[in-house]
Amino acid sequence: ASPAAVLYRLGQLAVTAAFWQTAGWSAARIFGGFLLSTLLAVLLAALAAWKNGVGELLAPLVAVIKAVPVASFIVIALLWLSSRRISAFIAFLMVLPVLYANALQGIREADPQLLEMARVFRLPGLRRVRCIILPSLAPYLKSACHVALGLCWKAGVAAEVMAVANRSVGGMLYDAKVYLEISDLFAWTVLLVAVSILFEKVFLRLLDLCMNRAIRWEG
């Protein structure tokens, strides 16, 4: 299919409600899995930095998640999860090691002298986090999210394709392949790239704003 044919087909699809509903459902599930993974990764990283035993306990699990192919996780997950939930779970699982490793490194890079000063002056725990931990964590977390957002979209849509999930971008890609609708295949791919870039820009901007407000907040 030529670029002109793909853009024409994309324009035809874009004026239908089903097109935006499909994109919305996929985005909600995949981005939901990413948000849950981000929250859990930061929480686990904080526990691992606080207690060395937690980090040692999590290390083998993180290594296994990083090593096992995405396809294997998708096939295993299909034994217990419905096709509609598979993309959220796979997106959650695939980005967890990346987010956890970077969050842990960011917390551990906090200036030990500042932490010692905070202990000497008995600075409250919340203020220690806000004034010392967050400034150290922010660049690492932003870098991890930059990588993880693209990864979660690729893994999530791959899960939808293998699960042939209804009302999903992956399901539409699978149908386009089965019926040899090459224009549809490229049109949905263009949508996927555009939505992925949009979510990345918006989320990273919101993350910057939230981090800056949390660090500067006085209370």
Side-chain angles (χ1 to χ4, degrees), residues 71-100:
S72 298
F73 277 123
I74 295 172
V75 173
I76 295 171
L78 282 171
L79 299 175
W80 293 286
L81 299 176
S82 66
S83 60
R84 290 187 177 183
R85 297 179 181 178
I86 193 71
S87 58
F89 175 74
I90 294 300
F92 165 86
L93 195 63
M94 289 298 101
V95 301
L96 184 61
V98 177
L99 295 168
Y100 168 77

Side-chain angles (χ1 to χ4, degrees), residues 61-158:
L61 179 61
V62 172
V64 167
I65 296 174
K66 289 167 60 177
V68 175
V70 179
S72 298
F73 277 123
I74 295 172
V75 173
I76 295 171
L78 282 171
L79 299 175
W80 293 286
L81 299 176
S82 66
S83 60
R84 290 187 177 183
R85 297 179 181 178
I86 193 71
S87 58
F89 175 74
I90 294 300
F92 165 86
L93 195 63
M94 289 298 101
V95 301
L96 184 61
V98 177
L99 295 168
Y100 168 77
N102 280 268
L104 180 59
Q105 185 65 28
I107 294 173
R108 286 178 172 172
E109 287 295 322
D111 193 332
Q113 294 182 344
L114 291 178
L115 292 173
E116 180 64 26
M117 182 185 69
R119 284 192 291 269
V120 170
F121 288 96
R122 297 181 180 179
L123 203 66
L126 183 59
R127 183 160 292 185
R128 293 186 197 183
V129 171
R130 182 170 57 82
C131 298
I132 302 174
I133 302 297
L134 281 184
S136 176
L137 172 64
Y140 286 88
L141 186 60
K142 183 178 179 180
S143 177
C145 289
H146 181 74
V147 174
L149 278 165
L151 178 61
C152 78
W153 278 99
K154 289 191 289 186
V157 172

Side-chain angles (χ1 to χ4, degrees), residues 3-210:
V6 172
L7 291 176
Y8 178 74
R9 182 55 180 159
L10 183 61
Q12 288 181 318
L13 293 172
V15 297
T16 63
F19 176 84
W20 296 108
Q21 289 174 355
T22 299
W25 277 111
S26 286
R29 288 190 286 258
I30 294 172
F31 194 61
F34 170 79
L35 287 179
L36 288 175
S37 187
T38 303
L39 294 174
L40 182 60
V42 172
L43 177 60
L44 292 177
L47 290 174
W50 181 42
K51 295 289 186 180
N52 289 331
V54 175
E56 294 174 358
L57 184 65
L58 291 174
L61 179 61
V62 172
V64 167
I65 296 174
K66 289 167 60 177
V68 175
V70 179
S72 298
F73 277 123
I74 295 172
V75 173
I76 295 171
L78 282 171
L79 299 175
W80 293 286
L81 299 176
S82 66
S83 60
R84 290 187 177 183
R85 297 179 181 178
I86 193 71
S87 58
F89 175 74
I90 294 300
F92 165 86
L93 195 63
M94 289 298 101
V95 301
L96 184 61
V98 177
L99 295 168
Y100 168 77
N102 280 268
L104 180 59
Q105 185 65 28
I107 294 173
R108 286 178 172 172
E109 287 295 322
D111 193 332
Q113 294 182 344
L114 291 178
L115 292 173
E116 180 64 26
M117 182 185 69
R119 284 192 291 269
V120 170
F121 288 96
R122 297 181 180 179
L123 203 66
L126 183 59
R127 183 160 292 185
R128 293 186 197 183
V129 171
R130 182 170 57 82
C131 298
I132 302 174
I133 302 297
L134 281 184
S136 176
L137 172 64
Y140 286 88
L141 186 60
K142 183 178 179 180
S143 177
C145 289
H146 181 74
V147 174
L149 278 165
L151 178 61
C152 78
W153 278 99
K154 289 191 289 186
V157 172
E160 290 177 344
V161 172
M162 292 186 66
V164 197
N166 294 327
R167 299 177 66 183
S168 70
V169 174
M172 299 307 297
L173 288 172
Y174 181 83
D175 289 344
K177 185 267 294 185
V178 170
Y179 297 108
L180 297 179
E181 296 287 351
I182 306 303
S183 296
D184 283 33
L185 179 63
F186 281 106
W188 284 105
T189 303
V190 169
L191 170 71
L192 176 61
V193 173
V195 172
S196 177
I197 294 173
L198 176 63
F199 268 88
E200 180 180 326
K201 298 294 184 183
V202 172
F203 181 81
L204 292 180
R205 179 59 178 166
L206 290 176
L207 182 64
D208 277 339
L209 291 175
C210 292

